């Protein structure tokens, strides 16, 4: 019986896995530049964490969460997102009492949502994200946006665009919610089933509806901007001002409410253009109440998450992985028994020097070895038989252009260092 992969999951193999590690490494490096530290968290949590933290009004929790009872009868969930997970860890470990605030953490790993699989949408997908918790300062919101933009720029995206909105403070959202209820109530009979549900739980979500006729109605709904307090307006203004000063392209998008319930004040999404289409690669925003709601102190937070598969798709389309190198440094070509006998220890030496190396375990024809070296994407070949062993030399072959020269064994390390280092540098530029 052939067992299939679970629907909505995907395997990342070889170069594809390398691509994901590369994107993670660039985001991690940029987060480190902003003083963030890594946090690694469980994939399974109590389902109630996401009900309370992520929010029962969100589609993610209402419809898409993977929940199950474990053998001890606990209702657990595979994390559908990380923010509630991070907040739980901060509370469980009392990190807010042991460290200067804000706490700054970055994470990456799989998240799970029972969505309808389609291009760029999986049931198990990977996110990179950051959370800064414990300081309610507008500059922190802005810095989080700048960090995301910097990472996208470092990956090679030329024009990441920030879509920006303010969801205001709690008081604002309460008043606005009432305004939305009055506006949508008479229209409800003509709206989709999801909107009926959203109307009951969180009418703000109705602004996000993708059904065209509902979207039309949402466009004419009262605007949150008319309800924003002076303080919230100032926060949004600061974000605009900094983005403008730094020459970062942004648009105010009043329909942007984000899919998760916990956001307030500044929210944002980062999009790139690809062949005329806009792709949302990630987003985030400020959240005021989650830490307290999950049993911690009254601390605000701000964060963002990007979908790694989405970013990889967009990079693929833009040719941004062209320089990603998955080649092997060396393939060893022992010719004859004596050469073969010396090969394992030569490979050991080469690996100890830091060169990725493969070699045959049995005597093998030269033509076969060439094929194997090609499949292994080997950059250089070391060919040696009886003569070379006798002379203390080796044939060093460039497997790209097939140029070959004999060099003394004693010069091997220096020669390889030059060749491979030069190549590494030219890849970086
Ligand atoms: P969210 O946690 O909903 O704010 O999502 C953050 C980012 O994760 C989105 O902008 C997407 O890039 C990505 N994402 C969300 N859901 C999925 C999914 N089902 N499959 C792949 N990527 C996803």
């Amino acid at each position: 019986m052939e067992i299939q992969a679970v629907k909505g999951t995907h395997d990342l193999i070889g170069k594809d896995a390398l691509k994901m590690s590369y994107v993670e490494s660039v985001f991690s490096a940029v987060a480190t530049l902003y003083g963030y530290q890594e946090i690694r968290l469980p994939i399974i949590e109590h389902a109630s964490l996401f009900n309370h933290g992520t929010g029962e009004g969100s589609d993610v929790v209402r419809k898409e969460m993977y929940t199950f009872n474990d053998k001890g009868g606990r209702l657990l969930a595979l994390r559908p997102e990380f923010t509630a997970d991070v907040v739980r860890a901060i509370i469980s470990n009392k990190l807010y009492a042991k460290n200067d605030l804000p706490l700054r953490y970055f994470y990456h790993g799989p998240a799970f949502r029972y969505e309808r699989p389609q291009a760029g949408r999986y049931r198990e997908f990977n996110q990179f994200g950051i959370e800064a918790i414990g300081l309610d300062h507008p500059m922190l919101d802005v810095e989080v946006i700048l960090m995301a933009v910097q990472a996208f720029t470092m990956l090679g995206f030329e024009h990441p665009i920030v879509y920006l909105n303010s969801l205001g403070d709690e008081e604002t959202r309460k008043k606005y919610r009432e305004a939305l209820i009055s506006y949508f109530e008479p229209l409800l009979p003509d709206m989709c089933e999801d909107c009926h549900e959203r109307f009951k739980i969180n009418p703000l979500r109705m602004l996000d509806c993708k059904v065209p006729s509902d979207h039309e109605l949402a466009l004419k709904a009262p605007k949150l901007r008319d309800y924003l307090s002076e303080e919230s307006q100032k926060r949004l203004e600061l974000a605009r001002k900094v983005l403008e000063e730094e020459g970062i392209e942004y648009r105010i998008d009043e329909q942007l409410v984000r899919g998760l319930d916990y956001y307030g004040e500044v929210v944002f999404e980062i999009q790139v253009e690809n062949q005329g289409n806009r792709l949302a690669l990630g987003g985030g925003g400020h959240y005021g109440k989650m830490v307290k709601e999950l049993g911690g102190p009254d601390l605000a937070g701000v964060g963002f998450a990007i979908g790694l598969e989405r970013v990889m798709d967009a990079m693929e389309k833009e040719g941004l992985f062209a320089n990603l190198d998955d080649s092997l440094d060396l393939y060893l070509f022992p010719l004859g028994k004596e050469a073969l006998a010396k090969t394992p220890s030569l490979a050991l030496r080469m690996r100890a020097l830091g060169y990725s190396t493969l070699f045959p375990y049995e005597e093998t024809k030269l033509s076969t070895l060439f094929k194997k070296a090609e499949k292994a994407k080997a950059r250089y070949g070391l060919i040696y038989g009886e003569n070379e062993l006798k002379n203390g030399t080796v044939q060093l072959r460039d497997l790209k252009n097939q140029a070959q020269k004999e060099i003394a064994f004693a010069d091997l390390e220096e020669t390889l260092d030059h060749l491979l280092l030069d190549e590494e540098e030219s890849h970086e530029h």
Side-chain angles (χ1 to χ4, degrees):
M1 184 179 66
E2 189 184 329
I3 299 188
Q4 307 284 324
V6 174
K7 191 173 172 188
T9 66
H10 62 116
D11 304 319
L12 281 174
I13 297 165
K15 193 157 189 183
D16 287 332
L18 185 67
K19 288 173 184 170
M20 188 172 283
S21 304
Y22 169 67
V23 177
E24 285 167 354
S25 72
V26 169
F27 268 93
S28 304
V30 173
T32 306
L33 293 177
Y34 285 76
Y36 285 68
Q37 290 186 331
E38 185 167 3
I39 188 165
R40 291 193 185 231
L41 300 171
I43 290 172
I44 48 173
E45 295 278 357
H46 291 286
S48 56
L49 169 65
F50 302 107
N51 291 329
H52 293 303
T54 312
E56 269 154 332
S58 65
D59 282 357
V60 168
V61 169
R62 213 157 48 80
K63 296 196 289 194
E64 298 166 359
M65 200 151 69
Y66 277 88
T67 51
F68 62 98
N69 285 299
D70 75 358
K71 291 189 201 309
R74 302 168 190 88
L75 182 60
L76 302 182
L78 303 182
R79 66 177 168 225
E81 57 106 25
F82 284 73
T83 304
D85 221 355
V86 174
V87 169
R88 198 273 308 138
I90 281 171
I91 298 170
S92 307
N93 296 287
K94 292 203 169 38
L95 296 177
Y96 49 84
K98 298 176 192 159
N99 298 284
D100 191 29
L101 300 178
L103 303 163
R104 294 183 170 94
Y105 294 110
F106 71 85
Y107 58 78
H108 50 84
F112 303 81
R113 296 182 192 173
Y114 196 82
E115 295 196 78
R116 187 133 54 86
Q118 48 184 280
R121 175 161 298 156
Y122 302 97
R123 289 181 173 170
E124 177 175 353
F125 60 101
N126 289 273
Q127 289 193 334
F128 175 96
I130 64 105
E131 308 294 341
I133 294 174
L135 181 71
D136 193 357
H137 197 288
M139 196 54 221
L140 194 58
D141 302 347
V142 179
E143 227 185 24
V144 164
I145 301 175
L146 293 178
M147 185 195 321
V149 171
Q150 185 171 350
F152 281 116
T153 309
M154 276 179 73
L155 286 172
F157 289 104
E158 283 177 9
H159 296 296
I161 302 177
V162 180
Y163 284 74
L164 202 59
N165 194 19
S166 172
L167 299 181
D169 55 25
E170 253 199 308
E171 196 50 37
T172 304
R173 286 197 302 285
K174 215 183 268 168
K175 279 196 219 137
Y176 184 54
R177 188 188 153 97
E178 281 156 22
L180 285 181
I181 289 176
S182 314
Y183 170 77
F184 280 121
E185 199 159 27
L187 305 172
L188 212 50
D190 296 328
M191 299 185 78
C192 76
E193 228 172 84
D194 271 341
C195 277
H196 282 244
E197 195 68 14
R198 290 171 186 135
F199 182 80
K200 279 188 252 156
I201 301 171
N202 184 359
L204 199 67
R205 252 321 67 73
M206 297 170 85
L207 298 177
D208 212 13
C209 185
K210 302 288 180 291
V211 175
S213 54
D214 292 354
H215 181 67
E216 283 299 305
L217 295 174
L219 286 176
K220 293 186 205 129
K223 298 282 179 246
L224 202 140
R225 110 173 78 93
D226 298 328
Y227 294 79
L228 281 187
S229 69
E230 209 175 302
E231 193 55 37
S232 297
Q233 272 170 15
K234 267 203 224 145
R235 284 185 93 119
L236 186 62
E237 267 321 301
L238 177 80
R240 288 175 74 139
K241 186 166 154 267
V242 175
L243 294 180
E244 237 152 62
E245 279 169 5
E246 298 306 323
I248 293 167
E249 206 176 331
Y250 75 91
R251 318 237 160 95
I252 298 290
D253 178 358
E254 295 191 318
Q255 303 306 114
L256 183 70
V257 294
R258 307 283 306 136
L260 309 172
D261 271 358
Y262 45 71
Y263 289 115
E265 300 293 354
V266 170
V267 288
F268 68 97
E269 204 163 273
I270 301 214
Q271 303 194 5
V272 294
E273 197 171 271
N274 191 262
Q275 290 154 357
N277 297 322
R278 300 231 142 268
L279 295 176
L281 300 185
H286 180 274
Y287 47 94
K289 290 278 159 268
M290 198 204 284
V291 185
K292 192 157 182 226
E293 244 150 59
L294 292 175
D298 193 5
L299 297 176
V302 52
F304 74 77
I306 60 148
L308 288 167
E309 285 85 354
R310 300 263 174 97
V311 174
M312 285 161 66
D313 275 357
M315 288 180 66
E316 203 74 72
K317 290 187 181 127
E318 301 263 322
L320 298 179
F321 285 123
N323 283 338
L324 197 68
D325 184 13
D326 67 337
S327 62
L328 183 80
D329 295 331
L330 295 178
Y331 201 90
L332 308 186
F333 293 70
L335 302 177
K337 274 207 165 36
E338 210 187 324
L340 183 70
K342 296 217 174 320
T343 296
S345 95
L346 175 60
L348 206 64
R349 218 183 105 201
M350 292 299 113
R351 289 166 176 164
L353 290 172
Y355 304 123
S356 51
T357 305
L358 282 177
F359 64 92
Y361 302 154
E362 302 286 343
E363 235 181 298
T364 312
K365 274 198 312 199
L366 189 60
S367 60
T368 309
L369 288 180
F370 273 118
K371 281 188 200 129
K372 283 178 169 293
E374 193 183 337
K375 283 203 176 133
K377 299 186 199 159
R379 193 54 201 91
Y380 291 96
L382 299 183
I383 308 174
Y384 45 98
E386 232 172 87
N387 281 343
E388 284 79 10
L389 290 183
K390 205 165 23 166
N391 299 338
T393 61
V394 62
Q395 305 287 341
L396 173 63
R397 188 175 178 106
D398 183 328
L399 296 172
K400 248 188 213 155
N401 61 18
Q402 310 308 328
Q404 186 169 313
K405 62 178 175 187
E406 185 164 357
I407 56 168
F409 218 81
D411 297 337
L412 187 56
E413 185 181 344
E414 199 181 337
T415 314
L416 283 175
D417 254 0
H418 275 305
L419 290 171
L420 288 163
L421 271 183
D422 283 354
E423 258 174 37
E424 224 170 84
E425 273 165 21
S426 75
H427 270 307
E428 279 163 17
H429 296 125

